[in-house]
Each structure stands twice: as C-alpha cells, then as structure tokens.
Amino acid sequence: MYTLAECIETAFRQNPEIQVQNLNILKSNDAYSYSKLNKLPSLSGSVSQGVNGGRSIDPFTNTFVQRNISTNAFGVSTNWNALNGVNKQIEQNRLNTEAEKQQLDLRKKELKISVIEAFMQVLLAQEFFRLATEQRLDLESQWLGLKEKAKEGLISNSQISDFEAQIGNVKFEEFNAKNNLSLSKLTLSQWLGFSAKTDFNVKQENILFSESKAQLSFHPSQRIFETQLQIAKIASKLAEAAKYPSINVSAGLGSAYSSAASAEFAYFKQLNYNLNQYFRIGLNIPIYSNGQVQAKIANANIQERIIKKQIDQQNLKLNQELEKQKMTIDLLKEKLIYAEINQNTQSKAYLAAKERFSEGILNITELNTFRLNAEKAKITRIQTQLELNYKALMLEAFLE
C-alpha cells in the first residue's frame, strides 16, 4: 500500500533520469575540482640511458671518440602559464556544476508533478472500480427480490429480462473499470522506475484543498537559464582574452654522466660537475589569427543574446502555466459545489424512485434512468473532489 509521499520518494530513488543526472553532477564536479589545479605549475622529470658504439661524440668532452660510450641523463622541469584565463575557466566549470544541480532540481520537480498526477489517476480508477462493484452487488440484490416477485406473479418475466440486461451492462462497466485501474497502476509504476508492476495499491489520504498564494518563485528552469547566461558572459571574456598576450614561465635543472670520462671523474662527481639550471620567460603576442578570434567573440556575444531571449520566453511560459493551473483549480472549486448539490438531488430522486418501483408505480426502465443519474452524479462528485485536491498539490509542487 503506497502513500503519495512514498511514491515520490521511490521515484526520486529509482527513476533512471534522476540517476543519470546525479552522475552528471559528479562528472561536472570532478571537472571543476581538477580545473582548479590548473592554477598550479606543472612538474616533470626525465631519466635516460644510452649506449653509443663506434665513432661518436663524447657528451662529456664534446669531441669525437672511437669507442663504446655509456651515458645517463637526468632532468627536472616546471612550467607555468600566466595570463591564460585559468580563473575564468575555473569559474565557468563551477557554474557548469551549479547548472547540473539546477537541472536535477528541475527533473525532480517535473517528476513529482507527474507522480502526483499518475497517483490521482490510480485513485480515480480505484474509486470507479469500487463504485462499479457496489452497483453490481446492489443490482444483484434487487434482482433476487424481483425473482421472488416474479414467482408470485407480481411482475412480468420481461421486466426480469430488462433488469438482467442492466446487470450485464454494469458487469461490463466493472470489467472496464478494472482494466483502467491496471493501466493507471502501470503508468504510475513506470514513473516510479519499475518496468511493469501492477500488483500494488495506493492509499488515499485525507488531503483537503487549501488556498495557495499562487506566487511563482524562482523556478529551476529560470535558474538554469540565469546560470547559462553567466557562463555565456564568461565565454565572451575568454574569447576576448585570446586577443591579448600570454606569458609562459619555465625552469629546470639537469645533469649527465658519460663513461668516456669515468677515469677522470667518478659517477656522482660527474653529475655534480655537469649540473645545469635554466629559467625562461616567454611572451606570446597574437598578431593575426585568420579571423578566428573575432569569430569566437561574435559567436559568444550572439549566444549571450540568445540566452537572454530564452529567459524572457521561459518567464512567459511559466506565467502562462501558472495562470492555467489557477484557472483549472477555480473551475474545479465551482464545479464541486454544483456536483455536491446534484449528487444530493439525484440520490434523493433515486431513493424515491425505488419506493415507487416497489409500489408498482414505476417500471424497470424508469427506475434504471434514476439509478444511472444518481451513479453519474456520485462519480462526478468524487472525481471533482479528487481532482481539486491533487491539482492543488500539483500547483504547490509547481510553485516550490
């Protein structure tokens, strides 16, 4: 027996789209974390072993020799790119992570609304199936009484046949209601992340309609576009930065050993004697890029303008959806008032018709008309009440 809260929790835990979005957040967060390391210099080391035979150059004396020479070389170097826009790239990656988190919030909001709607459909299907079963049992009970009257000759067999036809129609409605219940359960189970699960029931809780302020807060889709706008602005700055010089700083040290001088210098003495260091500063000045930099700047500026238009479009869309949901609830509130009045009236009319039928004033066909009107009024009232309660929950989820 699932409650609405349990269905929403299960959907959040098992829905494949939610799971994929959680992985996207991890991926984006890793990219952000590693990008911060780009502010640090890189460090590398090198080791080499070589053997030369015949005529070769002695790396120690830099002269030609006719012998086999064994050499070793060692080195350590560091490199750092300055003025390369790394801080902007880090901020861009941070915003990408925020956008993925906002995308998760949006998916959860949409999933919650879908689960509420599917849950409502299951409740409606359960109620319709229950009412159809009650109608069948009520008619079968009346049918037994009519058979006794037929034996006593109080009513004709044709009236019994008409009543049996009504029972057949109700049984068919009960069958359809059962099928609709299975289909609605299947839809709900798929939102919960199951492939085909229908062997469960949902619990109707005492959810009463409550008035909502119906004010739209900062919707996740709006936050996503705002974040994308910030990312686009950073992209514009990065494109602009390609027009300006960049600086590269590098440093290192190294040493080498040659067997050609082993008689004069021992291994470690050679390494100390051959020790060398270097420090370099490089300046890269862009002069001509075949229009590539200008194209990137233009594209970045256009993308920024596109996102601003998308923000306006999304705001309009959200406000339209809000007004639509508010109107739906207002219409349901008004409809419920009339549905309650109609059910009360039709129920009284049906009870009075049953008394007149027992007195022989009405026939089976006339009684059936009153019964159908009463059943329709009851179904309409139940459906309207459930829709009002759960549409209000959907509005609350939309406004969260």
Side-chain angles (χ1 to χ4, degrees), residues 106 109 113 212-223 311-323 325-326 394-400:
L106 177 60
K109 180 185 285 288
I113 293 173
S212 174
K213 295 181 180 180
Q215 293 180 347
L216 187 62
S217 60
F218 211 36
H219 196 270
S221 61
Q222 293 172 304
R223 291 199 295 270
I311 290 174
D312 294 338
Q313 183 181 1
Q314 184 65 14
N315 290 339
L316 176 61
K317 181 180 177 181
L318 290 173
N319 284 312
Q320 289 174 339
E321 179 63 24
L322 175 60
E323 291 302 318
Q325 293 194 34
K326 286 167 57 180
M394 292 165 65
L395 177 59
E396 288 179 11
F398 178 76
L399 295 173
E400 288 177 349

PDB file of all heavy atoms in Angstrom, residues 106 109 113 212-223 311-323 325-326 394-400:
ATOM      1  N   LEU A 106      15.116  20.627 -11.387  1.00  0.00           N
ATOM      2  CA  LEU A 106      14.037  20.719 -12.379  1.00  0.00           C
ATOM      3  C   LEU A 106      13.456  19.344 -12.672  1.00  0.00           C
ATOM      4  O   LEU A 106      12.225  19.182 -12.732  1.00  0.00           O
ATOM      5  CB  LEU A 106      14.570  21.351 -13.666  1.00  0.00           C
ATOM      6  CG  LEU A 106      13.574  21.457 -14.831  1.00  0.00           C
ATOM      7  CD1 LEU A 106      12.369  22.303 -14.444  1.00  0.00           C
ATOM      8  CD2 LEU A 106      14.252  22.033 -16.070  1.00  0.00           C
ATOM      9  N   LYS A 109      11.299  18.252  -9.783  1.00  0.00           N
ATOM     10  CA  LYS A 109      10.028  18.970  -9.754  1.00  0.00           C
ATOM     11  C   LYS A 109       9.069  18.395 -10.796  1.00  0.00           C
ATOM     12  O   LYS A 109       7.895  18.125 -10.500  1.00  0.00           O
ATOM     13  CB  LYS A 109      10.272  20.458 -10.005  1.00  0.00           C
ATOM     14  CG  LYS A 109       9.005  21.300 -10.008  1.00  0.00           C
ATOM     15  CD  LYS A 109       9.297  22.735 -10.389  1.00  0.00           C
ATOM     16  CE  LYS A 109       9.949  23.482  -9.265  1.00  0.00           C
ATOM     17  NZ  LYS A 109       9.006  23.779  -8.158  1.00  0.00           N
ATOM     18  N   ILE A 113       5.487  16.253 -10.041  1.00  0.00           N
ATOM     19  CA  ILE A 113       4.180  16.614 -10.594  1.00  0.00           C
ATOM     20  C   ILE A 113       3.586  15.450 -11.382  1.00  0.00           C
ATOM     21  O   ILE A 113       2.386  15.152 -11.273  1.00  0.00           O
ATOM     22  CB  ILE A 113       4.322  17.866 -11.483  1.00  0.00           C
ATOM     23  CG1 ILE A 113       4.680  19.080 -10.624  1.00  0.00           C
ATOM     24  CG2 ILE A 113       3.032  18.129 -12.262  1.00  0.00           C
ATOM     25  CD1 ILE A 113       5.001  20.327 -11.426  1.00  0.00           C
ATOM     26  N   SER A 212      -3.863  28.534  -2.032  1.00  0.00           N
ATOM     27  CA  SER A 212      -2.437  28.830  -2.207  1.00  0.00           C
ATOM     28  C   SER A 212      -2.271  30.277  -2.656  1.00  0.00           C
ATOM     29  O   SER A 212      -3.120  30.830  -3.347  1.00  0.00           O
ATOM     30  CB  SER A 212      -1.823  27.887  -3.249  1.00  0.00           C
ATOM     31  OG  SER A 212      -0.492  28.244  -3.517  1.00  0.00           O
ATOM     32  N   LYS A 213      -1.168  30.877  -2.210  1.00  0.00           N
ATOM     33  CA  LYS A 213      -0.885  32.249  -2.640  1.00  0.00           C
ATOM     34  C   LYS A 213      -0.625  32.313  -4.139  1.00  0.00           C
ATOM     35  O   LYS A 213      -0.777  33.349  -4.762  1.00  0.00           O
ATOM     36  CB  LYS A 213       0.317  32.799  -1.876  1.00  0.00           C
ATOM     37  CG  LYS A 213       0.070  32.950  -0.379  1.00  0.00           C
ATOM     38  CD  LYS A 213       1.297  33.524   0.314  1.00  0.00           C
ATOM     39  CE  LYS A 213       1.060  33.670   1.799  1.00  0.00           C
ATOM     40  NZ  LYS A 213       2.255  34.222   2.498  1.00  0.00           N
ATOM     41  N   ALA A 214      -0.234  31.182  -4.703  1.00  0.00           N
ATOM     42  CA  ALA A 214      -0.027  31.071  -6.152  1.00  0.00           C
ATOM     43  C   ALA A 214       0.917  32.135  -6.678  1.00  0.00           C
ATOM     44  O   ALA A 214       0.643  32.805  -7.669  1.00  0.00           O
ATOM     45  CB  ALA A 214      -1.366  31.125  -6.890  1.00  0.00           C
ATOM     46  N   GLN A 215       2.038  32.286  -5.972  1.00  0.00           N
ATOM     47  CA  GLN A 215       3.070  33.201  -6.438  1.00  0.00           C
ATOM     48  C   GLN A 215       4.265  32.379  -6.910  1.00  0.00           C
ATOM     49  O   GLN A 215       4.765  31.520  -6.187  1.00  0.00           O
ATOM     50  CB  GLN A 215       3.486  34.164  -5.328  1.00  0.00           C
ATOM     51  CG  GLN A 215       2.384  35.143  -4.938  1.00  0.00           C
ATOM     52  CD  GLN A 215       2.836  36.089  -3.843  1.00  0.00           C
ATOM     53  OE1 GLN A 215       3.864  35.886  -3.216  1.00  0.00           O
ATOM     54  NE2 GLN A 215       2.053  37.130  -3.625  1.00  0.00           N
ATOM     55  N   LEU A 216       4.717  32.679  -8.104  1.00  0.00           N
ATOM     56  CA  LEU A 216       5.799  31.913  -8.711  1.00  0.00           C
ATOM     57  C   LEU A 216       7.134  32.366  -8.145  1.00  0.00           C
ATOM     58  O   LEU A 216       7.501  33.535  -8.249  1.00  0.00           O
ATOM     59  CB  LEU A 216       5.778  32.092 -10.228  1.00  0.00           C
ATOM     60  CG  LEU A 216       6.759  31.226 -11.034  1.00  0.00           C
ATOM     61  CD1 LEU A 216       6.433  29.760 -10.837  1.00  0.00           C
ATOM     62  CD2 LEU A 216       6.693  31.592 -12.508  1.00  0.00           C
ATOM     63  N   SER A 217       7.841  31.441  -7.492  1.00  0.00           N
ATOM     64  CA  SER A 217       9.182  31.730  -7.002  1.00  0.00           C
ATOM     65  C   SER A 217      10.182  31.506  -8.138  1.00  0.00           C
ATOM     66  O   SER A 217       9.793  31.365  -9.293  1.00  0.00           O
ATOM     67  CB  SER A 217       9.509  30.838  -5.802  1.00  0.00           C
ATOM     68  OG  SER A 217       9.439  29.473  -6.174  1.00  0.00           O
ATOM     69  N   PHE A 218      11.457  31.465  -7.786  1.00  0.00           N
ATOM     70  CA  PHE A 218      12.481  31.294  -8.816  1.00  0.00           C
ATOM     71  C   PHE A 218      12.484  29.833  -9.247  1.00  0.00           C
ATOM     72  O   PHE A 218      13.034  28.970  -8.569  1.00  0.00           O
ATOM     73  CB  PHE A 218      13.836  31.722  -8.252  1.00  0.00           C
ATOM     74  CG  PHE A 218      14.752  32.294  -9.292  1.00  0.00           C
ATOM     75  CD1 PHE A 218      14.267  33.076 -10.325  1.00  0.00           C
ATOM     76  CD2 PHE A 218      16.110  32.064  -9.239  1.00  0.00           C
ATOM     77  CE1 PHE A 218      15.110  33.612 -11.284  1.00  0.00           C
ATOM     78  CE2 PHE A 218      16.970  32.600 -10.186  1.00  0.00           C
ATOM     79  CZ  PHE A 218      16.462  33.379 -11.208  1.00  0.00           C
ATOM     80  N   HIS A 219      11.838  29.558 -10.356  1.00  0.00           N
ATOM     81  CA  HIS A 219      11.693  28.195 -10.873  1.00  0.00           C
ATOM     82  C   HIS A 219      13.062  27.654 -11.286  1.00  0.00           C
ATOM     83  O   HIS A 219      13.928  28.407 -11.757  1.00  0.00           O
ATOM     84  CB  HIS A 219      10.746  28.226 -12.082  1.00  0.00           C
ATOM     85  CG  HIS A 219      10.214  26.896 -12.474  1.00  0.00           C
ATOM     86  ND1 HIS A 219      10.850  26.088 -13.385  1.00  0.00           N
ATOM     87  CD2 HIS A 219       9.109  26.208 -12.078  1.00  0.00           C
ATOM     88  CE1 HIS A 219      10.153  24.988 -13.559  1.00  0.00           C
ATOM     89  NE2 HIS A 219       9.095  25.027 -12.773  1.00  0.00           N
ATOM     90  N   PRO A 220      13.314  26.328 -11.109  1.00  0.00           N
ATOM     91  CA  PRO A 220      14.617  25.763 -11.513  1.00  0.00           C
ATOM     92  C   PRO A 220      14.981  26.052 -12.960  1.00  0.00           C
ATOM     93  O   PRO A 220      16.150  26.281 -13.270  1.00  0.00           O
ATOM     94  CB  PRO A 220      14.423  24.256 -11.280  1.00  0.00           C
ATOM     95  CG  PRO A 220      13.420  24.167 -10.194  1.00  0.00           C
ATOM     96  CD  PRO A 220      12.490  25.331 -10.418  1.00  0.00           C
ATOM     97  N   SER A 221      14.005  26.046 -13.857  1.00  0.00           N
ATOM     98  CA  SER A 221      14.308  26.336 -15.261  1.00  0.00           C
ATOM     99  C   SER A 221      14.804  27.772 -15.427  1.00  0.00           C
ATOM    100  O   SER A 221      15.666  28.050 -16.275  1.00  0.00           O
ATOM    101  CB  SER A 221      13.072  26.107 -16.129  1.00  0.00           C
ATOM    102  OG  SER A 221      12.006  26.968 -15.747  1.00  0.00           O
ATOM    103  N   GLN A 222      14.283  28.704 -14.605  1.00  0.00           N
ATOM    104  CA  GLN A 222      14.780  30.078 -14.646  1.00  0.00           C
ATOM    105  C   GLN A 222      16.213  30.151 -14.133  1.00  0.00           C
ATOM    106  O   GLN A 222      17.053  30.862 -14.701  1.00  0.00           O
ATOM    107  CB  GLN A 222      13.872  30.982 -13.805  1.00  0.00           C
ATOM    108  CG  GLN A 222      12.462  31.149 -14.371  1.00  0.00           C
ATOM    109  CD  GLN A 222      11.561  31.884 -13.407  1.00  0.00           C
ATOM    110  OE1 GLN A 222      11.392  31.467 -12.260  1.00  0.00           O
ATOM    111  NE2 GLN A 222      10.973  32.976 -13.858  1.00  0.00           N
ATOM    112  N   ARG A 223      16.486  29.415 -13.057  1.00  0.00           N
ATOM    113  CA  ARG A 223      17.849  29.416 -12.508  1.00  0.00           C
ATOM    114  C   ARG A 223      18.837  28.828 -13.511  1.00  0.00           C
ATOM    115  O   ARG A 223      19.981  29.290 -13.613  1.00  0.00           O
ATOM    116  CB  ARG A 223      17.883  28.624 -11.194  1.00  0.00           C
ATOM    117  CG  ARG A 223      17.146  29.296 -10.057  1.00  0.00           C
ATOM    118  CD  ARG A 223      17.585  28.730  -8.717  1.00  0.00           C
ATOM    119  NE  ARG A 223      17.224  27.330  -8.565  1.00  0.00           N
ATOM    120  CZ  ARG A 223      16.087  26.903  -8.042  1.00  0.00           C
ATOM    121  NH1 ARG A 223      15.188  27.782  -7.621  1.00  0.00           N
ATOM    122  NH2 ARG A 223      15.835  25.618  -7.924  1.00  0.00           N
ATOM    123  N   ILE A 311      15.386  33.428 -21.668  1.00  0.00           N
ATOM    124  CA  ILE A 311      14.922  33.751 -20.316  1.00  0.00           C
ATOM    125  C   ILE A 311      13.555  34.430 -20.377  1.00  0.00           C
ATOM    126  O   ILE A 311      12.629  34.072 -19.631  1.00  0.00           O
ATOM    127  CB  ILE A 311      15.949  34.649 -19.598  1.00  0.00           C
ATOM    128  CG1 ILE A 311      17.209  33.842 -19.271  1.00  0.00           C
ATOM    129  CG2 ILE A 311      15.358  35.234 -18.318  1.00  0.00           C
ATOM    130  CD1 ILE A 311      18.328  34.661 -18.688  1.00  0.00           C
ATOM    131  N   ASP A 312      13.415  35.411 -21.277  1.00  0.00           N
ATOM    132  CA  ASP A 312      12.117  36.086 -21.433  1.00  0.00           C
ATOM    133  C   ASP A 312      11.036  35.093 -21.867  1.00  0.00           C
ATOM    134  O   ASP A 312       9.899  35.137 -21.368  1.00  0.00           O
ATOM    135  CB  ASP A 312      12.238  37.215 -22.468  1.00  0.00           C
ATOM    136  CG  ASP A 312      13.154  38.336 -21.997  1.00  0.00           C
ATOM    137  OD1 ASP A 312      13.359  38.458 -20.777  1.00  0.00           O
ATOM    138  OD2 ASP A 312      13.686  39.065 -22.865  1.00  0.00           O
ATOM    139  N   GLN A 313      11.391  34.211 -22.787  1.00  0.00           N
ATOM    140  CA  GLN A 313      10.435  33.216 -23.276  1.00  0.00           C
ATOM    141  C   GLN A 313      10.019  32.258 -22.163  1.00  0.00           C
ATOM    142  O   GLN A 313       8.831  31.929 -22.023  1.00  0.00           O
ATOM    143  CB  GLN A 313      11.059  32.438 -24.436  1.00  0.00           C
ATOM    144  CG  GLN A 313      10.131  31.413 -25.071  1.00  0.00           C
ATOM    145  CD  GLN A 313      10.811  30.652 -26.200  1.00  0.00           C
ATOM    146  OE1 GLN A 313      11.977  30.876 -26.497  1.00  0.00           O
ATOM    147  NE2 GLN A 313      10.077  29.765 -26.843  1.00  0.00           N
ATOM    148  N   GLN A 314      10.983  31.815 -21.360  1.00  0.00           N
ATOM    149  CA  GLN A 314      10.682  30.893 -20.268  1.00  0.00           C
ATOM    150  C   GLN A 314       9.823  31.556 -19.197  1.00  0.00           C
ATOM    151  O   GLN A 314       8.909  30.930 -18.654  1.00  0.00           O
ATOM    152  CB  GLN A 314      11.983  30.368 -19.654  1.00  0.00           C
ATOM    153  CG  GLN A 314      11.793  29.311 -18.566  1.00  0.00           C
ATOM    154  CD  GLN A 314      11.182  28.026 -19.095  1.00  0.00           C
ATOM    155  OE1 GLN A 314      11.128  27.805 -20.306  1.00  0.00           O
ATOM    156  NE2 GLN A 314      10.721  27.176 -18.213  1.00  0.00           N
ATOM    157  N   ASN A 315      10.100  32.818 -18.890  1.00  0.00           N
ATOM    158  CA  ASN A 315       9.281  33.535 -17.909  1.00  0.00           C
ATOM    159  C   ASN A 315       7.836  33.632 -18.375  1.00  0.00           C
ATOM    160  O   ASN A 315       6.896  33.441 -17.582  1.00  0.00           O
ATOM    161  CB  ASN A 315       9.851  34.935 -17.669  1.00  0.00           C
ATOM    162  CG  ASN A 315      11.176  34.904 -16.923  1.00  0.00           C
ATOM    163  OD1 ASN A 315      11.490  33.923 -16.245  1.00  0.00           O
ATOM    164  ND2 ASN A 315      11.948  35.973 -17.039  1.00  0.00           N
ATOM    165  N   LEU A 316       7.648  33.923 -19.651  1.00  0.00           N
ATOM    166  CA  LEU A 316       6.289  33.991 -20.205  1.00  0.00           C
ATOM    167  C   LEU A 316       5.604  32.632 -20.120  1.00  0.00           C
ATOM    168  O   LEU A 316       4.434  32.524 -19.720  1.00  0.00           O
ATOM    169  CB  LEU A 316       6.355  34.469 -21.657  1.00  0.00           C
ATOM    170  CG  LEU A 316       5.011  34.504 -22.417  1.00  0.00           C
ATOM    171  CD1 LEU A 316       4.039  35.460 -21.746  1.00  0.00           C
ATOM    172  CD2 LEU A 316       5.237  34.883 -23.876  1.00  0.00           C
ATOM    173  N   LYS A 317       6.339  31.581 -20.474  1.00  0.00           N
ATOM    174  CA  LYS A 317       5.784  30.224 -20.453  1.00  0.00           C
ATOM    175  C   LYS A 317       5.374  29.808 -19.045  1.00  0.00           C
ATOM    176  O   LYS A 317       4.297  29.225 -18.837  1.00  0.00           O
ATOM    177  CB  LYS A 317       6.817  29.243 -21.012  1.00  0.00           C
ATOM    178  CG  LYS A 317       6.354  27.805 -21.055  1.00  0.00           C
ATOM    179  CD  LYS A 317       7.453  26.914 -21.626  1.00  0.00           C
ATOM    180  CE  LYS A 317       7.030  25.441 -21.614  1.00  0.00           C
ATOM    181  NZ  LYS A 317       8.111  24.568 -22.136  1.00  0.00           N
ATOM    182  N   LEU A 318       6.211  30.130 -18.061  1.00  0.00           N
ATOM    183  CA  LEU A 318       5.909  29.764 -16.669  1.00  0.00           C
ATOM    184  C   LEU A 318       4.691  30.523 -16.150  1.00  0.00           C
ATOM    185  O   LEU A 318       3.832  29.948 -15.469  1.00  0.00           O
ATOM    186  CB  LEU A 318       7.120  30.036 -15.783  1.00  0.00           C
ATOM    187  CG  LEU A 318       8.327  29.114 -15.984  1.00  0.00           C
ATOM    188  CD1 LEU A 318       9.520  29.603 -15.173  1.00  0.00           C
ATOM    189  CD2 LEU A 318       7.990  27.671 -15.606  1.00  0.00           C
ATOM    190  N   ASN A 319       4.598  31.793 -16.465  1.00  0.00           N
ATOM    191  CA  ASN A 319       3.437  32.581 -16.025  1.00  0.00           C
ATOM    192  C   ASN A 319       2.153  32.102 -16.695  1.00  0.00           C
ATOM    193  O   ASN A 319       1.082  32.086 -16.064  1.00  0.00           O
ATOM    194  CB  ASN A 319       3.674  34.066 -16.319  1.00  0.00           C
ATOM    195  CG  ASN A 319       4.647  34.698 -15.330  1.00  0.00           C
ATOM    196  OD1 ASN A 319       4.511  34.528 -14.129  1.00  0.00           O
ATOM    197  ND2 ASN A 319       5.629  35.415 -15.841  1.00  0.00           N
ATOM    198  N   GLN A 320       2.248  31.706 -17.953  1.00  0.00           N
ATOM    199  CA  GLN A 320       1.072  31.162 -18.637  1.00  0.00           C
ATOM    200  C   GLN A 320       0.629  29.859 -17.986  1.00  0.00           C
ATOM    201  O   GLN A 320      -0.570  29.625 -17.787  1.00  0.00           O
ATOM    202  CB  GLN A 320       1.393  30.942 -20.116  1.00  0.00           C
ATOM    203  CG  GLN A 320       1.529  32.225 -20.924  1.00  0.00           C
ATOM    204  CD  GLN A 320       1.983  31.969 -22.346  1.00  0.00           C
ATOM    205  OE1 GLN A 320       2.562  30.934 -22.658  1.00  0.00           O
ATOM    206  NE2 GLN A 320       1.724  32.924 -23.240  1.00  0.00           N
ATOM    207  N   GLU A 321       1.594  28.983 -17.652  1.00  0.00           N
ATOM    208  CA  GLU A 321       1.266  27.714 -16.999  1.00  0.00           C
ATOM    209  C   GLU A 321       0.656  27.954 -15.623  1.00  0.00           C
ATOM    210  O   GLU A 321      -0.287  27.264 -15.218  1.00  0.00           O
ATOM    211  CB  GLU A 321       2.531  26.860 -16.883  1.00  0.00           C
ATOM    212  CG  GLU A 321       2.335  25.515 -16.201  1.00  0.00           C
ATOM    213  CD  GLU A 321       1.397  24.590 -16.964  1.00  0.00           C
ATOM    214  OE1 GLU A 321       1.251  24.763 -18.185  1.00  0.00           O
ATOM    215  OE2 GLU A 321       0.807  23.695 -16.310  1.00  0.00           O
ATOM    216  N   LEU A 322       1.173  28.942 -14.902  1.00  0.00           N
ATOM    217  CA  LEU A 322       0.620  29.267 -13.585  1.00  0.00           C
ATOM    218  C   LEU A 322      -0.828  29.722 -13.699  1.00  0.00           C
ATOM    219  O   LEU A 322      -1.698  29.263 -12.936  1.00  0.00           O
ATOM    220  CB  LEU A 322       1.474  30.356 -12.930  1.00  0.00           C
ATOM    221  CG  LEU A 322       0.952  30.893 -11.585  1.00  0.00           C
ATOM    222  CD1 LEU A 322       0.860  29.770 -10.559  1.00  0.00           C
ATOM    223  CD2 LEU A 322       1.843  32.013 -11.076  1.00  0.00           C
ATOM    224  N   GLU A 323      -1.101  30.598 -14.632  1.00  0.00           N
ATOM    225  CA  GLU A 323      -2.471  31.087 -14.811  1.00  0.00           C
ATOM    226  C   GLU A 323      -3.404  29.956 -15.227  1.00  0.00           C
ATOM    227  O   GLU A 323      -4.568  29.898 -14.792  1.00  0.00           O
ATOM    228  CB  GLU A 323      -2.493  32.199 -15.860  1.00  0.00           C
ATOM    229  CG  GLU A 323      -1.819  33.485 -15.412  1.00  0.00           C
ATOM    230  CD  GLU A 323      -2.448  34.042 -14.143  1.00  0.00           C
ATOM    231  OE1 GLU A 323      -3.695  34.033 -14.044  1.00  0.00           O
ATOM    232  OE2 GLU A 323      -1.691  34.472 -13.253  1.00  0.00           O
ATOM    233  N   GLN A 325      -3.112  26.730 -14.437  1.00  0.00           N
ATOM    234  CA  GLN A 325      -3.378  25.880 -13.279  1.00  0.00           C
ATOM    235  C   GLN A 325      -4.308  26.568 -12.286  1.00  0.00           C
ATOM    236  O   GLN A 325      -5.186  25.928 -11.689  1.00  0.00           O
ATOM    237  CB  GLN A 325      -2.067  25.492 -12.604  1.00  0.00           C
ATOM    238  CG  GLN A 325      -1.194  24.572 -13.446  1.00  0.00           C
ATOM    239  CD  GLN A 325      -0.083  23.926 -12.649  1.00  0.00           C
ATOM    240  OE1 GLN A 325      -0.239  23.625 -11.471  1.00  0.00           O
ATOM    241  NE2 GLN A 325       1.050  23.693 -13.292  1.00  0.00           N
ATOM    242  N   LYS A 326      -4.121  27.872 -12.101  1.00  0.00           N
ATOM    243  CA  LYS A 326      -5.005  28.616 -11.194  1.00  0.00           C
ATOM    244  C   LYS A 326      -6.439  28.590 -11.700  1.00  0.00           C
ATOM    245  O   LYS A 326      -7.381  28.393 -10.930  1.00  0.00           O
ATOM    246  CB  LYS A 326      -4.510  30.058 -11.058  1.00  0.00           C
ATOM    247  CG  LYS A 326      -3.259  30.206 -10.206  1.00  0.00           C
ATOM    248  CD  LYS A 326      -2.628  31.578 -10.364  1.00  0.00           C
ATOM    249  CE  LYS A 326      -3.560  32.694 -10.033  1.00  0.00           C
ATOM    250  NZ  LYS A 326      -2.925  34.031 -10.182  1.00  0.00           N
ATOM    251  N   MET A 394      -0.401  19.562  -7.145  1.00  0.00           N
ATOM    252  CA  MET A 394       0.437  19.784  -8.316  1.00  0.00           C
ATOM    253  C   MET A 394       0.833  21.260  -8.443  1.00  0.00           C
ATOM    254  O   MET A 394       1.966  21.581  -8.811  1.00  0.00           O
ATOM    255  CB  MET A 394      -0.282  19.313  -9.578  1.00  0.00           C
ATOM    256  CG  MET A 394      -0.465  17.795  -9.650  1.00  0.00           C
ATOM    257  SD  MET A 394      -1.669  17.259 -10.896  1.00  0.00           S
ATOM    258  CE  MET A 394      -0.824  17.798 -12.393  1.00  0.00           C
ATOM    259  N   LEU A 395      -0.101  22.160  -8.108  1.00  0.00           N
ATOM    260  CA  LEU A 395       0.208  23.593  -8.139  1.00  0.00           C
ATOM    261  C   LEU A 395       1.258  23.931  -7.090  1.00  0.00           C
ATOM    262  O   LEU A 395       2.179  24.714  -7.335  1.00  0.00           O
ATOM    263  CB  LEU A 395      -1.066  24.421  -7.930  1.00  0.00           C
ATOM    264  CG  LEU A 395      -0.883  25.930  -7.868  1.00  0.00           C
ATOM    265  CD1 LEU A 395      -0.248  26.454  -9.154  1.00  0.00           C
ATOM    266  CD2 LEU A 395      -2.205  26.622  -7.602  1.00  0.00           C
ATOM    267  N   GLU A 396       1.111  23.345  -5.889  1.00  0.00           N
ATOM    268  CA  GLU A 396       2.106  23.584  -4.831  1.00  0.00           C
ATOM    269  C   GLU A 396       3.485  23.109  -5.282  1.00  0.00           C
ATOM    270  O   GLU A 396       4.495  23.784  -5.042  1.00  0.00           O
ATOM    271  CB  GLU A 396       1.684  22.855  -3.549  1.00  0.00           C
ATOM    272  CG  GLU A 396       0.493  23.478  -2.842  1.00  0.00           C
ATOM    273  CD  GLU A 396       0.121  22.694  -1.586  1.00  0.00           C
ATOM    274  OE1 GLU A 396       0.908  21.817  -1.188  1.00  0.00           O
ATOM    275  OE2 GLU A 396      -0.940  22.974  -1.015  1.00  0.00           O
ATOM    276  N   ALA A 397       3.537  21.934  -5.916  1.00  0.00           N
ATOM    277  CA  ALA A 397       4.820  21.422  -6.397  1.00  0.00           C
ATOM    278  C   ALA A 397       5.387  22.333  -7.485  1.00  0.00           C
ATOM    279  O   ALA A 397       6.602  22.538  -7.558  1.00  0.00           O
ATOM    280  CB  ALA A 397       4.636  19.999  -6.940  1.00  0.00           C
ATOM    281  N   PHE A 398       4.519  22.884  -8.320  1.00  0.00           N
ATOM    282  CA  PHE A 398       4.971  23.780  -9.382  1.00  0.00           C
ATOM    283  C   PHE A 398       5.560  25.074  -8.801  1.00  0.00           C
ATOM    284  O   PHE A 398       6.505  25.654  -9.335  1.00  0.00           O
ATOM    285  CB  PHE A 398       3.794  24.110 -10.302  1.00  0.00           C
ATOM    286  CG  PHE A 398       4.112  25.066 -11.414  1.00  0.00           C
ATOM    287  CD1 PHE A 398       4.821  24.640 -12.534  1.00  0.00           C
ATOM    288  CD2 PHE A 398       3.701  26.393 -11.349  1.00  0.00           C
ATOM    289  CE1 PHE A 398       5.113  25.517 -13.563  1.00  0.00           C
ATOM    290  CE2 PHE A 398       3.992  27.275 -12.377  1.00  0.00           C
ATOM    291  CZ  PHE A 398       4.702  26.843 -13.483  1.00  0.00           C
ATOM    292  N   LEU A 399       4.971  25.524  -7.675  1.00  0.00           N
ATOM    293  CA  LEU A 399       5.392  26.795  -7.073  1.00  0.00           C
ATOM    294  C   LEU A 399       6.568  26.650  -6.116  1.00  0.00           C
ATOM    295  O   LEU A 399       7.125  27.657  -5.672  1.00  0.00           O
ATOM    296  CB  LEU A 399       4.218  27.428  -6.335  1.00  0.00           C
ATOM    297  CG  LEU A 399       3.017  27.870  -7.185  1.00  0.00           C
ATOM    298  CD1 LEU A 399       1.866  28.316  -6.320  1.00  0.00           C
ATOM    299  CD2 LEU A 399       3.426  28.969  -8.139  1.00  0.00           C
ATOM    300  N   GLU A 400       6.951  25.423  -5.776  1.00  0.00           N
ATOM    301  CA  GLU A 400       8.042  25.211  -4.820  1.00  0.00           C
ATOM    302  C   GLU A 400       9.347  25.804  -5.339  1.00  0.00           C
ATOM    303  O   GLU A 400       9.670  25.677  -6.508  1.00  0.00           O
ATOM    304  CB  GLU A 400       8.222  23.717  -4.553  1.00  0.00           C
ATOM    305  CG  GLU A 400       7.105  23.121  -3.711  1.00  0.00           C
ATOM    306  CD  GLU A 400       7.296  21.625  -3.530  1.00  0.00           C
ATOM    307  OE1 GLU A 400       8.167  21.025  -4.220  1.00  0.00           O
ATOM    308  OE2 GLU A 400       6.597  21.041  -2.698  1.00  0.00           O
TER     309      GLU A 400
END
